[in-house]
Amino acid sequence: LFYTKEQGIDKLILLFFYKGKTDKGLWGRMEEIFGNENSLHLFSVDIDLHPELAKSFSVQLTPKLLVIRNGKEVARYRPTDITEEALQRIFSEIKEHHLLDK
């Protein structure tokens, strides 16, 4: 991933790292919750297909959700934090900390 304002990527970036069918199932739910928010970009990364990218972000366990603002990681959610029930809470936390407004 490259971050440059010249390319217009100044929105909040959510990177969802997953491995296997169970983790990937959470991606659909994330798209439902976060997909209508125009001030962010959503990306999913299969760590089996992109092991070097996972390694560059120190991702070993999945699922893992990273929140990136202006090229810097501002939040990281562990596998125990990412459940279908918790995704709405995570979205609320992101909004509450005004990460979408900056």
Side-chain angles (χ1 to χ4, degrees), residues 17-59:
F17 290 88
Y18 70 91
K19 180 178 182 168
K21 195 173 187 176
T22 303
D23 287 355
K24 189 174 182 182
L26 289 170
W27 176 246
R29 185 70 178 121
M30 284 189 62
E31 287 181 310
E32 288 175 21
I33 294 171
F34 297 98
N36 292 328
E37 186 59 55
N38 291 328
S39 57
L40 63 81
H41 292 292
L42 285 170
F43 295 98
S44 66
V45 179
D46 182 332
I47 68 167
D48 286 334
L49 294 175
H50 305 285
E52 291 303 315
L53 183 59
K55 185 178 178 181
S56 72
F57 282 97
S58 300
V59 173

